[in-house]
Amino acid sequence: MSEYSPHQDWDPRDEAVLDDQRAAYDTMRRRCPVAFSDYMQWSLFRHADVRRVLEDHATFSNAVSRHLSVPNAMNPPEHARFRRLIEPYFAPGPMRDFEPLCRDIADKLVDALPAEGEIEAMADLGQPFALQVQCTFMGWPDELHAPLQDWVTRQQTATLAGDREALIGLAQEFDSVIRGLLEERRLAGAQAPDDVTTRLMRERVDGRTLSDEETISIIRNWTAGELGTISACVGILLRYLAEHTDLQMRLRREPELLPAAIDEILRMDAPLMSNRRIATCPVTLGGRRIEAGERLTVLWGSANRDEAVFGDPDAFRLDRDPDLNLLYGAGIHVCPGAPLARMELRLFLQALLDRTQVLAAVADKPAVRAHFPAGGYSRVWTQVQR
Protein backbone atom coordinates (compact mmCIF):
# COMPACT_ATOMS: atom_id res chain seq x y z
CA MET A 1 0.00 0.00 0.00
CA SER A 2 1.42 3.36 -0.97
CA GLU A 3 1.41 6.40 1.30
CA TYR A 4 -1.03 8.07 -1.09
CA SER A 5 -4.29 8.58 0.80
CA PRO A 6 -7.01 10.62 -0.91
CA HIS A 7 -9.96 12.01 0.98
CA GLN A 8 -13.07 9.90 1.42
CA ASP A 9 -15.58 10.35 -1.39
CA TRP A 10 -18.27 8.33 0.36
CA ASP A 11 -18.91 6.01 3.31
CA PRO A 12 -20.03 2.51 2.20
CA ARG A 13 -21.07 1.72 5.79
CA ASP A 14 -23.34 4.72 6.19
CA GLU A 15 -26.78 3.58 7.29
CA ALA A 16 -28.48 5.07 4.23
CA VAL A 17 -26.11 3.18 1.92
CA LEU A 18 -26.58 -0.13 3.71
CA ASP A 19 -30.36 0.23 3.78
CA ASP A 20 -30.59 0.60 -0.01
CA GLN A 21 -27.36 -0.24 -1.78
CA ARG A 22 -28.91 -0.01 -5.24
CA ALA A 23 -30.12 3.56 -4.78
CA ALA A 24 -26.82 4.62 -3.21
CA TYR A 25 -24.79 3.08 -6.03
CA ASP A 26 -27.04 4.68 -8.66
CA THR A 27 -26.29 8.06 -7.08
CA MET A 28 -22.54 7.42 -6.85
CA ARG A 29 -22.36 6.26 -10.46
CA ARG A 30 -23.52 9.71 -11.54
CA ARG A 31 -21.74 11.76 -8.87
CA CYS A 32 -18.37 10.04 -8.43
CA PRO A 33 -17.99 6.89 -10.54
CA VAL A 34 -14.52 6.03 -9.19
CA ALA A 35 -14.69 6.77 -5.48
CA PHE A 36 -12.35 6.34 -2.53
CA SER A 37 -13.27 5.20 0.99
CA ASP A 38 -11.26 3.82 3.89
CA TYR A 39 -13.43 0.70 3.93
CA MET A 40 -13.37 -0.29 0.23
CA GLN A 41 -10.50 1.89 -1.02
CA TRP A 42 -11.35 2.43 -4.73
CA SER A 43 -14.94 1.55 -5.68
CA LEU A 44 -15.88 1.25 -9.35
CA PHE A 45 -19.48 2.05 -10.26
CA ARG A 46 -19.47 2.25 -14.08
CA HIS A 47 -19.84 -0.71 -16.44
CA ALA A 48 -16.92 0.39 -18.65
CA ASP A 49 -14.49 0.72 -15.72
CA VAL A 50 -15.56 -2.61 -14.27
CA ARG A 51 -15.19 -4.32 -17.64
CA ARG A 52 -11.72 -2.83 -18.10
CA VAL A 53 -10.58 -4.15 -14.73
CA LEU A 54 -12.03 -7.62 -15.35
CA GLU A 55 -10.32 -7.99 -18.70
CA ASP A 56 -6.90 -6.58 -17.77
CA HIS A 57 -5.65 -9.12 -15.25
CA ALA A 58 -2.03 -7.94 -15.70
CA THR A 59 -2.80 -4.46 -14.35
CA PHE A 60 -5.54 -5.53 -11.93
CA SER A 61 -4.53 -8.63 -10.02
CA ASN A 62 -6.94 -11.09 -8.43
CA ALA A 63 -4.39 -12.03 -5.74
CA VAL A 64 -6.06 -10.00 -2.99
CA SER A 65 -6.66 -12.64 -0.33
CA ARG A 66 -4.35 -13.14 2.63
CA HIS A 67 -5.13 -16.85 2.43
CA LEU A 68 -5.02 -19.50 -0.27
CA SER A 69 -8.01 -19.04 -2.57
CA VAL A 70 -8.18 -21.51 -5.49
CA PRO A 71 -8.59 -20.30 -8.20
CA ASN A 72 -10.33 -17.04 -7.24
CA ALA A 73 -7.21 -15.25 -6.00
CA MET A 74 -4.86 -16.61 -8.65
CA ASN A 75 -3.43 -15.01 -11.78
CA PRO A 76 -2.20 -16.61 -15.01
CA PRO A 77 -0.62 -19.03 -15.59
CA GLU A 78 -1.42 -20.61 -12.20
CA HIS A 79 -5.09 -19.69 -12.52
CA ALA A 80 -5.49 -21.53 -15.83
CA ARG A 81 -4.11 -24.81 -14.43
CA PHE A 82 -6.67 -24.91 -11.65
CA ARG A 83 -9.47 -23.53 -13.83
CA ARG A 84 -9.03 -26.45 -16.25
CA LEU A 85 -9.45 -28.81 -13.31
CA ILE A 86 -12.66 -27.14 -12.08
CA GLU A 87 -14.62 -26.47 -15.27
CA PRO A 88 -15.49 -30.12 -16.06
CA TYR A 89 -17.59 -30.32 -12.87
CA PHE A 90 -20.00 -27.82 -14.46
CA ALA A 91 -19.92 -29.19 -18.01
CA PRO A 92 -23.15 -30.19 -19.82
CA GLY A 93 -22.86 -33.88 -18.91
CA PRO A 94 -22.57 -33.44 -15.13
CA MET A 95 -25.32 -30.80 -15.22
CA ARG A 96 -27.67 -33.22 -17.01
CA ASP A 97 -26.87 -35.89 -14.41
CA PHE A 98 -27.53 -33.52 -11.51
CA GLU A 99 -30.68 -31.96 -12.94
CA PRO A 100 -33.14 -34.62 -11.66
CA LEU A 101 -31.76 -34.31 -8.12
CA CYS A 102 -31.94 -30.52 -8.26
CA ARG A 103 -35.49 -30.64 -9.62
CA ASP A 104 -36.54 -33.01 -6.85
CA ILE A 105 -35.23 -30.61 -4.19
CA ALA A 106 -37.13 -27.69 -5.74
CA ASP A 107 -40.33 -29.71 -6.16
CA LYS A 108 -40.34 -30.96 -2.56
CA LEU A 109 -39.69 -27.51 -1.08
CA VAL A 110 -42.55 -25.99 -3.04
CA ASP A 111 -44.85 -28.92 -2.28
CA ALA A 112 -44.27 -28.29 1.44
CA LEU A 113 -45.60 -24.72 1.23
CA PRO A 114 -49.05 -23.98 2.66
CA ALA A 115 -52.00 -24.18 0.25
CA GLU A 116 -52.63 -20.53 1.00
CA GLY A 117 -50.97 -17.98 3.26
CA GLU A 118 -47.80 -16.01 3.92
CA ILE A 119 -44.28 -17.31 3.66
CA GLU A 120 -40.94 -15.64 4.33
CA ALA A 121 -39.12 -16.48 1.13
CA MET A 122 -35.55 -16.44 2.49
CA ALA A 123 -36.18 -18.76 5.44
CA ASP A 124 -38.82 -20.95 3.80
CA LEU A 125 -37.30 -21.30 0.33
CA GLY A 126 -34.04 -19.48 -0.42
CA GLN A 127 -31.83 -20.74 2.37
CA PRO A 128 -33.07 -24.36 2.45
CA PHE A 129 -32.90 -24.60 -1.34
CA ALA A 130 -29.29 -23.38 -1.46
CA LEU A 131 -28.26 -25.63 1.44
CA GLN A 132 -29.89 -28.75 0.09
CA VAL A 133 -28.57 -28.25 -3.43
CA GLN A 134 -25.01 -27.61 -2.23
CA CYS A 135 -24.95 -30.60 0.10
CA THR A 136 -26.48 -32.87 -2.54
CA PHE A 137 -24.09 -31.66 -5.24
CA MET A 138 -21.06 -32.22 -3.00
CA GLY A 139 -22.33 -35.49 -1.48
CA TRP A 140 -22.63 -34.16 2.08
CA PRO A 141 -25.02 -35.30 4.83
CA ASP A 142 -28.17 -33.36 5.74
CA GLU A 143 -26.72 -32.74 9.21
CA LEU A 144 -24.50 -30.04 7.69
CA HIS A 145 -27.44 -27.83 6.65
CA ALA A 146 -27.86 -25.92 9.92
CA PRO A 147 -24.16 -25.38 10.76
CA LEU A 148 -23.43 -24.26 7.20
CA GLN A 149 -26.21 -21.67 7.30
CA ASP A 150 -24.95 -20.40 10.64
CA TRP A 151 -21.42 -20.19 9.22
CA VAL A 152 -22.57 -18.07 6.23
CA THR A 153 -24.46 -15.69 8.52
CA ARG A 154 -21.48 -15.19 10.82
CA GLN A 155 -19.13 -14.75 7.87
CA GLN A 156 -21.30 -11.98 6.40
CA THR A 157 -21.43 -10.23 9.78
CA ALA A 158 -17.66 -10.40 10.22
CA THR A 159 -17.06 -9.13 6.66
CA LEU A 160 -19.34 -6.12 7.18
CA ALA A 161 -17.58 -5.33 10.46
CA GLY A 162 -14.13 -5.74 8.90
CA ASP A 163 -13.33 -8.19 11.70
CA ARG A 164 -10.27 -9.97 10.32
CA GLU A 165 -9.78 -12.02 13.46
CA ALA A 166 -13.31 -13.38 13.24
CA LEU A 167 -12.89 -14.12 9.52
CA ILE A 168 -9.71 -16.08 10.20
CA GLY A 169 -11.53 -18.07 12.86
CA LEU A 170 -14.47 -18.75 10.53
CA ALA A 171 -12.15 -19.95 7.78
CA GLN A 172 -10.47 -22.31 10.22
CA GLU A 173 -13.85 -23.54 11.44
CA PHE A 174 -15.01 -24.30 7.89
CA ASP A 175 -11.69 -25.96 7.05
CA SER A 176 -12.04 -28.23 10.07
CA VAL A 177 -15.45 -29.45 8.94
CA ILE A 178 -14.24 -30.16 5.41
CA ARG A 179 -11.08 -31.87 6.68
CA GLY A 180 -13.37 -34.23 8.57
CA LEU A 181 -15.27 -35.06 5.37
CA LEU A 182 -12.00 -35.66 3.52
CA GLU A 183 -10.67 -37.91 6.28
CA GLU A 184 -13.88 -39.97 6.25
CA ARG A 185 -13.35 -40.63 2.56
CA ARG A 186 -9.70 -41.54 3.04
CA LEU A 187 -10.62 -44.04 5.73
CA ALA A 188 -13.31 -45.51 3.47
CA GLY A 189 -10.75 -46.07 0.71
CA ALA A 190 -12.32 -47.84 -2.27
CA GLN A 191 -15.68 -47.72 -0.48
CA ALA A 192 -15.74 -43.90 -0.42
CA PRO A 193 -18.81 -42.47 -2.16
CA ASP A 194 -18.29 -41.52 -5.78
CA ASP A 195 -19.31 -37.90 -5.30
CA VAL A 196 -17.86 -34.49 -6.16
CA THR A 197 -15.93 -34.26 -2.89
CA THR A 198 -14.23 -37.62 -3.44
CA ARG A 199 -13.46 -36.82 -7.06
CA LEU A 200 -11.88 -33.49 -6.09
CA MET A 201 -9.57 -35.35 -3.69
CA ARG A 202 -8.30 -37.40 -6.62
CA GLU A 203 -7.64 -34.49 -8.97
CA ARG A 204 -4.11 -33.73 -10.14
CA VAL A 205 -2.39 -30.50 -11.11
CA ASP A 206 1.18 -30.23 -12.41
CA GLY A 207 1.47 -34.01 -12.12
CA ARG A 208 0.59 -34.18 -8.42
CA THR A 209 -2.58 -34.65 -6.41
CA LEU A 210 -4.15 -31.59 -4.84
CA SER A 211 -3.12 -30.79 -1.29
CA ASP A 212 -5.84 -30.73 1.35
CA GLU A 213 -5.42 -26.96 1.55
CA GLU A 214 -6.10 -26.61 -2.19
CA THR A 215 -9.09 -28.95 -2.09
CA ILE A 216 -10.57 -27.17 0.91
CA SER A 217 -10.07 -23.78 -0.72
CA ILE A 218 -11.96 -24.87 -3.83
CA ILE A 219 -14.78 -26.26 -1.71
CA ARG A 220 -14.90 -23.14 0.47
CA ASN A 221 -15.23 -20.90 -2.58
CA TRP A 222 -17.98 -23.07 -4.04
CA THR A 223 -19.86 -23.25 -0.76
CA ALA A 224 -19.72 -19.57 0.11
CA GLY A 225 -20.84 -18.69 -3.40
CA GLU A 226 -23.67 -21.19 -3.43
CA LEU A 227 -25.14 -20.57 0.00
CA GLY A 228 -24.99 -16.80 -0.05
CA THR A 229 -25.68 -16.07 -3.69
CA ILE A 230 -28.35 -18.64 -4.59
CA SER A 231 -30.45 -17.86 -1.53
CA ALA A 232 -30.17 -14.15 -2.37
CA CYS A 233 -31.30 -14.90 -5.93
CA VAL A 234 -34.41 -16.69 -4.68
CA GLY A 235 -35.43 -13.70 -2.55
CA ILE A 236 -34.85 -11.23 -5.39
CA LEU A 237 -36.79 -13.33 -7.90
CA LEU A 238 -39.76 -13.90 -5.60
CA ARG A 239 -40.03 -10.25 -4.67
CA TYR A 240 -39.89 -9.13 -8.30
CA LEU A 241 -42.46 -11.64 -9.53
CA ALA A 242 -44.78 -10.91 -6.60
CA GLU A 243 -44.75 -7.25 -7.59
CA HIS A 244 -45.08 -7.90 -11.36
CA THR A 245 -48.03 -10.22 -11.76
CA ASP A 246 -48.22 -9.78 -15.54
CA LEU A 247 -44.70 -11.17 -15.93
CA GLN A 248 -45.48 -13.90 -13.40
CA MET A 249 -48.46 -15.06 -15.45
CA ARG A 250 -46.52 -14.82 -18.72
CA LEU A 251 -43.74 -17.05 -17.37
CA ARG A 252 -46.34 -19.62 -16.33
CA ARG A 253 -47.56 -19.69 -19.92
CA GLU A 254 -44.11 -19.46 -21.52
CA PRO A 255 -41.58 -21.21 -19.27
CA GLU A 256 -39.04 -21.13 -22.11
CA LEU A 257 -38.56 -17.45 -21.21
CA LEU A 258 -37.35 -18.28 -17.70
CA PRO A 259 -33.56 -18.23 -18.36
CA ALA A 260 -33.59 -14.77 -19.95
CA ALA A 261 -36.09 -13.43 -17.39
CA ILE A 262 -33.99 -14.66 -14.46
CA ASP A 263 -30.80 -13.08 -15.80
CA GLU A 264 -32.59 -9.79 -16.42
CA ILE A 265 -34.16 -9.61 -12.95
CA LEU A 266 -30.79 -10.35 -11.37
CA ARG A 267 -29.13 -7.73 -13.56
CA MET A 268 -31.41 -5.11 -12.03
CA ASP A 269 -30.95 -6.37 -8.48
CA ALA A 270 -27.58 -8.02 -7.84
CA PRO A 271 -27.35 -11.07 -5.57
CA LEU A 272 -23.56 -10.61 -5.31
CA MET A 273 -22.55 -7.01 -4.74
CA SER A 274 -18.80 -6.94 -5.27
CA ASN A 275 -15.43 -8.52 -5.91
CA ARG A 276 -11.92 -7.24 -5.23
CA ARG A 277 -8.81 -6.55 -7.28
CA ILE A 278 -5.44 -4.94 -6.55
CA ALA A 279 -3.49 -2.62 -8.84
CA THR A 280 -0.11 -3.97 -9.91
CA CYS A 281 1.12 -0.60 -11.20
CA PRO A 282 0.00 3.04 -11.22
CA VAL A 283 -3.11 3.44 -13.37
CA THR A 284 -5.80 6.04 -14.06
CA LEU A 285 -9.48 5.14 -13.97
CA GLY A 286 -12.26 7.68 -14.35
CA GLY A 287 -9.76 10.48 -13.98
CA ARG A 288 -8.50 9.15 -10.63
CA ARG A 289 -4.94 7.98 -10.14
CA ILE A 290 -4.65 4.61 -8.44
CA GLU A 291 -1.27 3.57 -7.10
CA ALA A 292 0.34 0.14 -7.26
CA GLY A 293 -0.80 -1.97 -4.32
CA GLU A 294 -4.09 -0.16 -3.80
CA ARG A 295 -7.28 -2.19 -3.62
CA LEU A 296 -10.27 -1.87 -5.94
CA THR A 297 -13.83 -2.96 -5.25
CA VAL A 298 -15.73 -3.98 -8.37
CA LEU A 299 -19.41 -3.25 -7.73
CA TRP A 300 -21.56 -5.59 -9.81
CA GLY A 301 -24.66 -4.06 -8.24
CA SER A 302 -23.82 -0.75 -9.90
CA ALA A 303 -22.19 -1.79 -13.18
CA ASN A 304 -25.22 -3.84 -14.22
CA ARG A 305 -27.45 -0.81 -13.72
CA ASP A 306 -25.31 1.64 -15.70
CA GLU A 307 -27.57 3.90 -17.77
CA ALA A 308 -24.83 4.30 -20.38
CA VAL A 309 -25.21 0.61 -21.22
CA PHE A 310 -28.75 -0.35 -20.24
CA GLY A 311 -30.74 2.90 -20.48
CA ASP A 312 -33.35 2.85 -17.74
CA PRO A 313 -31.77 0.32 -15.35
CA ASP A 314 -35.17 -0.71 -13.97
CA ALA A 315 -36.73 -1.43 -17.39
CA PHE A 316 -37.29 -5.18 -17.72
CA ARG A 317 -36.31 -6.38 -21.20
CA LEU A 318 -35.89 -9.89 -22.56
CA ASP A 319 -34.02 -8.77 -25.69
CA ARG A 320 -30.86 -7.40 -24.06
CA ASP A 321 -27.43 -8.51 -25.24
CA PRO A 322 -26.44 -11.21 -22.71
CA ASP A 323 -22.76 -10.34 -23.14
CA LEU A 324 -23.38 -7.01 -21.43
CA ASN A 325 -24.80 -8.62 -18.29
CA LEU A 326 -22.02 -9.02 -15.71
CA LEU A 327 -24.14 -11.20 -13.41
CA TYR A 328 -21.53 -13.99 -13.55
CA GLY A 329 -18.54 -11.75 -14.20
CA ALA A 330 -16.41 -11.53 -17.35
CA GLY A 331 -12.93 -12.32 -18.55
CA ILE A 332 -10.82 -15.22 -17.33
CA HIS A 333 -12.48 -15.16 -13.90
CA VAL A 334 -16.06 -15.51 -15.14
CA CYS A 335 -17.88 -17.78 -12.69
CA PRO A 336 -17.24 -21.45 -13.59
CA GLY A 337 -20.36 -22.47 -11.66
CA ALA A 338 -22.70 -20.32 -13.79
CA PRO A 339 -24.21 -23.36 -15.58
CA LEU A 340 -25.17 -24.89 -12.23
CA ALA A 341 -26.55 -21.62 -10.86
CA ARG A 342 -28.65 -21.01 -13.97
CA MET A 343 -30.01 -24.54 -13.87
CA GLU A 344 -30.87 -24.31 -10.17
CA LEU A 345 -32.75 -21.04 -10.54
CA ARG A 346 -34.62 -22.20 -13.64
CA LEU A 347 -35.75 -25.40 -11.94
CA PHE A 348 -36.68 -23.56 -8.76
CA LEU A 349 -38.85 -20.98 -10.53
CA GLN A 350 -40.39 -23.63 -12.76
CA ALA A 351 -41.42 -25.65 -9.71
CA LEU A 352 -42.78 -22.56 -7.97
CA LEU A 353 -44.78 -21.27 -10.94
CA ASP A 354 -46.10 -24.73 -11.85
CA ARG A 355 -47.38 -25.33 -8.32
CA THR A 356 -48.88 -21.93 -7.50
CA GLN A 357 -51.61 -19.78 -8.94
CA VAL A 358 -50.66 -16.49 -7.28
CA LEU A 359 -47.55 -14.97 -5.74
CA ALA A 360 -48.21 -11.56 -4.22
CA ALA A 361 -46.38 -9.05 -2.01
CA VAL A 362 -47.66 -8.66 1.55
CA ALA A 363 -48.79 -5.05 1.81
CA ASP A 364 -48.00 -4.48 5.47
CA LYS A 365 -44.68 -6.36 5.42
CA PRO A 366 -42.23 -4.67 3.05
CA ALA A 367 -39.14 -6.60 2.03
CA VAL A 368 -36.02 -5.87 4.11
CA ARG A 369 -32.82 -5.22 2.21
CA ALA A 370 -29.69 -7.21 3.04
CA HIS A 371 -26.59 -5.26 4.09
CA PHE A 372 -23.22 -5.36 2.35
CA PRO A 373 -21.50 -7.71 1.56
CA ALA A 374 -24.76 -9.53 0.88
CA GLY A 375 -27.04 -8.50 -1.95
CA GLY A 376 -30.79 -8.78 -2.28
CA TYR A 377 -32.91 -9.11 0.83
CA SER A 378 -32.76 -10.53 4.32
CA ARG A 379 -36.58 -10.84 4.51
CA VAL A 380 -39.14 -11.21 1.70
CA TRP A 381 -42.71 -11.88 2.80
CA THR A 382 -44.87 -13.34 0.05
CA GLN A 383 -48.51 -14.33 -0.19
CA VAL A 384 -48.88 -17.75 -1.81
CA GLN A 385 -51.97 -19.34 -3.29
CA ARG A 386 -51.62 -22.84 -4.73
Side-chain angles (χ1 to χ4, degrees):
M1 171 76 184
S2 72
E3 294 181 0
Y4 177 71
S5 181
H7 71 279
Q8 283 218 129
D9 297 306
W10 73 309
D11 181 2
R13 289 183 287 186
D14 182 88
E15 187 174 341
V17 174
L18 294 175
D19 285 346
D20 193 344
Q21 295 177 76
R22 285 199 316 169
Y25 296 172
D26 286 350
T27 299
M28 289 300 298
R29 192 169 54 251
R30 295 185 288 268
R31 181 176 72 80
C32 187
V34 179
F36 187 85
S37 68
D38 291 337
Y39 181 53
M40 288 183 177
Q41 290 200 12
W42 294 104
S43 296
L44 308 182
F45 293 92
R46 290 188 302 204
H47 191 280
D49 294 329
V50 167
R51 196 84 189 227
R52 176 183 170 187
V53 166
L54 297 179
E55 294 175 350
D56 183 358
H57 49 78
T59 304
F60 305 101
S61 170
N62 233 54
V64 295
S65 177
R66 295 168 179 263
H67 309 285
L68 181 68
S69 181
V70 182
N72 300 34
M74 291 178 168
N75 294 311
E78 185 182 34
H79 169 267
R81 293 196 292 270
F82 284 91
R83 179 81 183 209
R84 284 193 296 269
L85 177 156
I86 287 169
E87 286 180 340
Y89 287 88
F90 305 101
M95 293 300 92
R96 281 193 301 270
D97 293 342
F98 186 61
E99 183 167 346
L101 296 174
C102 189
R103 179 181 288 108
D104 186 58
I105 292 169
D107 290 348
K108 287 179 177 176
L109 278 171
V110 176
D111 284 340
L113 295 177
E116 187 171 358
E118 292 180 13
I119 64 167
E120 198 287 288
M122 300 303 296
D124 293 335
L125 290 173
Q127 292 167 2
F129 181 64
L131 283 163
Q132 290 179 38
V133 169
Q134 175 66 4
C135 288
T136 303
F137 182 71
M138 297 300 299
W140 297 345
D142 292 350
E143 290 76 16
L144 276 182
H145 292 178
L148 278 175
Q149 182 56 54
D150 177 64
W151 177 78
V152 169
T153 300
R154 288 184 288 132
Q155 185 188 53
Q156 290 174 344
T157 300
T159 301
L160 174 61
D163 190 340
R164 290 178 180 169
E165 198 169 310
L167 287 169
I168 291 170
L170 285 163
Q172 292 171 341
E173 180 182 326
F174 181 88
D175 292 1
S176 177
V177 172
I178 303 306
R179 284 184 194 280
L181 294 170
L182 300 184
E183 186 59 26
E184 288 175 7
R185 284 159 171 75
R186 284 200 184 90
L187 292 174
Q191 303 305 311
D194 182 22
D195 56 27
V196 168
T197 302
T198 300
R199 291 197 289 275
L200 271 175
M201 293 174 65
R202 297 170 180 164
E203 291 287 1
R204 301 180 68 82
V205 64
D206 295 335
R208 61 170 178 81
T209 56
L210 295 181
S211 68
D212 276 4
E213 288 71 23
E214 290 166 336
T215 303
I216 291 168
S217 177
I218 292 170
I219 293 173
R220 188 191 312 117
N221 285 329
W222 288 0
T223 302
E226 172 74 20
L227 299 188
T229 308
I230 293 298
S231 60
C233 288
V234 168
I236 292 166
L237 293 168
L238 256 73
R239 179 185 178 274
Y240 193 87
L241 292 179
E243 294 189 344
H244 296 81
T245 53
D246 288 349
L247 176 62
Q248 184 187 138
M249 300 310 294
R250 184 182 180 188
L251 294 176
R252 286 193 171 91
R253 296 190 306 269
E254 302 176 75
E256 67 275 10
L257 299 179
L258 278 171
I262 290 168
D263 278 11
E264 175 67 350
I265 294 168
L266 298 178
R267 176 198 63 77
M268 293 186 282
D269 200 346
L272 177 66
M273 297 310 295
S274 68
N275 276 131
R276 297 178 297 163
R277 296 292 191 271
I278 189 167
T280 62
C281 59
V283 63
T284 299
L285 273 175
R288 310 296 295 272
R289 181 174 171 84
I290 298 168
E291 299 294 336
E294 291 193 315
R295 181 163 51 93
L296 301 96
T297 303
V298 172
L299 289 168
W300 311 112
S302 176
N304 258 354
R305 293 176 55 80
D306 191 338
E307 297 85 351
V309 177
F310 300 103
D312 179 358
D314 291 310
F316 176 89
R317 287 176 45 188
L318 291 173
D319 62 346
R320 294 192 188 275
D321 181 352
D323 289 339
L324 296 175
N325 191 337
L326 300 178
L327 174 61
Y328 294 101
I332 64 170
H333 290 285
V334 66
C335 177
L340 174 60
R342 285 191 163 107
M343 182 180 74
E344 290 177 61
L345 296 173
R346 172 178 58 82
L347 293 174
F348 170 79
L349 271 195
Q350 199 158 23
L352 187 66
L353 295 174
D354 284 350
R355 287 164 166 75
T356 60
Q357 296 182 48
V358 177
L359 300 170
V362 180
D364 60 345
K365 292 183 179 178
V368 179
R369 281 276 175 191
H371 283 183
F372 187 89
Y377 301 87
S378 59
R379 297 285 185 274
V380 179
W381 287 274
T382 308
Q383 183 75 27
V384 175
Q385 181 180 333
R386 296 180 59 191

